[in-house]
Amino acid sequence: MRVLLTGAAGFIGARIAALLADAGHDVVAADAMLPAAHGEGAELPAGMHRADVRDAAAVAELLAGVDVVCHQAAVVGAGVDAADSPSYASHNDYGTAVLLAEMFAAGCRRLVLASSMVVYGQGGYVCPQHGAVDPTPRTRADLDGGVFDHRCPVCGAQVRWDLVAEDAPLRPRSLYAASKVAQEHYALAWSESTGGSVVALRYHNVYGPGMPRDTPYSGVAAIFRSALEAGSPPRVFEDGGQMRDFVHVDDIAAANVAAIEADSDGFDTFNVCSGQPVSILDVATALCDARGDFTPVVTGEYRSGDVRHIVADPAKAERLLGFRAAVDPADGLRAFAGAPLRA
């Protein structure tokens, strides 16, 4: 198949491009080479098109003969403050709208969309007495007192985390999350109106070689790695018990290839995760142990609005896409401790 891959020079996009080529697909690789993602003056990789998905004419040219679009281009991260909102809306939402319009004009009716776990907001929670509940926000009194878990909105008991399935409500809690929900909604409306196929892949915590170094938009794994390289121990917020699912970038690439090769109709969403939840403290400890130079510092500090737990149910992706993560987080994090990062 001929595949248009946007964001092809990025951390994830580059892995997808390589795996698609290995699988025999004809890849049309494009990237806007935004300085925030690649640094000032970064050179365009050989064989790649410099193109911004907000540029309709450029997108139209790239779509010639394309069977499926794999849309990875996005401004990522939780955002620093409200001043970031126009950037998210422009690159992620408007860019996706332009891409969908040009796909319609070109007669291309298949899209694989990079989405994110952040669309869920907080994760799933279960009360021992009342079952599945939607807990109220954590109080400052609890946080100041070192009580970090949510409480049941009915009885006030502390609740435990549960796996999040794709039918969970979408409740974005950051600017980036709002932009990813909007991307999904544009894609859903496009699918309904054109009869096109959309597979939205909700990535969980991605890590691996080539991950960007410590920036306000980095994932926590890269932030911990950057601290170690700078000669400082990783600083872990709260009590370190926050549960996440860390999925290797090679598995993310494999999930995209599976989605591209799947015979899918309509609009559908899939968690892309390892299926092996791990605590933030365990991640920091694994990196420290692999390098042998530091021990994590559990600070007890917290940030207002942080999500306590969010872990995913991987069953649907395995059942319908045939995708199952191959990299065990214990092995992947050990290797990541010494892997090169992107400047």
Side-chain angles (χ1 to χ4, degrees):
M1 282 185 287
R2 187 171 175 85
V3 182
L4 171 57
L5 174 63
T6 70
F11 166 51
I12 293 173
R15 292 303 183 98
I16 297 172
L19 198 58
L20 283 171
D22 288 346
H25 297 288
D26 179 15
V27 182
V28 181
D31 201 293
M33 300 300 293
L34 299 178
H38 301 280
E40 294 289 346
E43 294 186 6
L44 186 72
M48 192 172 297
H49 302 270
R50 185 184 295 270
D52 190 319
V53 291
R54 298 172 297 176
D55 182 342
V59 172
E61 185 174 341
L62 293 171
L63 280 167
V66 164
D67 301 298
V68 56
V69 174
C70 184
H71 185 31
Q72 305 296 314
V75 173
V76 301
V80 176
D81 55 38
D84 287 327
S85 56
S87 177
Y88 286 118
S90 176
H91 289 281
N92 298 1
D93 305 338
Y94 178 68
T96 298
V98 170
L99 175 63
L100 291 170
E102 294 308 315
M103 288 177 65
F104 174 71
C108 180
R109 295 293 186 270
R110 294 194 58 216
L111 174 69
V112 174
L113 173 66
S115 188
S116 171
M117 68 173 188
V118 296
V119 299
Y120 298 121
Q122 63 185 16
Y125 297 90
V126 174
C127 170
Q129 182 175 351
H130 298 101
V133 295
D134 181 18
T136 55
R138 298 181 292 176
T139 67
R140 187 170 294 276
D142 271 351
L143 294 169
D144 287 341
V147 178
F148 299 113
D149 283 307
H150 286 280
R151 295 184 182 273
C152 174
V154 180
C155 67
Q158 291 187 40
V159 294
R160 62 173 176 83
W161 60 267
D162 196 15
L163 298 179
V164 177
E166 289 83 353
D167 59 358
L170 305 187
R171 295 179 177 173
R173 297 177 55 160
S174 69
L175 300 171
Y176 173 60
S179 76
K180 300 310 284 188
V181 170
Q183 282 185 304
E184 286 198 15
H185 285 172
Y186 273 112
L188 171 59
W190 176 86
S191 174
E192 293 284 345
S193 65
T194 66
S197 163
V198 176
V199 176
L201 300 176
R202 293 172 176 168
Y203 304 160
H204 285 252
N205 293 73
V206 188
Y207 72 98
M211 192 174 188
R213 292 182 184 275
D214 186 11
T215 77
Y217 308 95
S218 290
V220 68
I223 292 172
F224 289 165
R225 265 293 313 276
S226 295
L228 289 166
E229 287 188 357
S232 300
R235 293 177 59 83
V236 179
F237 282 7
E238 301 185 13
D239 60 358
Q242 308 94 305
M243 298 299 295
R244 298 290 189 272
D245 189 305
F246 283 77
V247 56
H248 196 275
V249 65
D250 287 347
D251 283 324
I252 294 289
N256 275 274
V257 174
I260 287 166
E261 295 178 345
D263 183 16
S264 56
D265 294 311
F267 177 91
D268 212 348
T269 60
F270 298 89
N271 287 322
V272 181
C273 57
S274 71
Q276 300 185 54
V278 61
S279 75
I280 295 298
L281 178 56
D282 285 345
V283 170
T285 301
L287 295 175
C288 288
D289 288 350
R291 294 177 65 95
D293 44 6
F294 285 105
T295 299
V297 175
V298 179
T299 68
E301 298 170 0
Y302 62 86
R303 293 177 296 191
S304 178
D306 271 3
V307 174
R308 176 59 174 170
H309 306 298
I310 180 164
V311 293
D313 186 344
K316 184 178 175 183
E318 182 171 4
R319 185 175 72 252
L320 298 183
L321 296 181
F323 165 75
R324 183 174 184 176
V327 180
D328 187 295
D331 298 329
L333 289 167
R334 189 180 307 113
F336 179 62
L341 299 180
R342 179 177 299 198

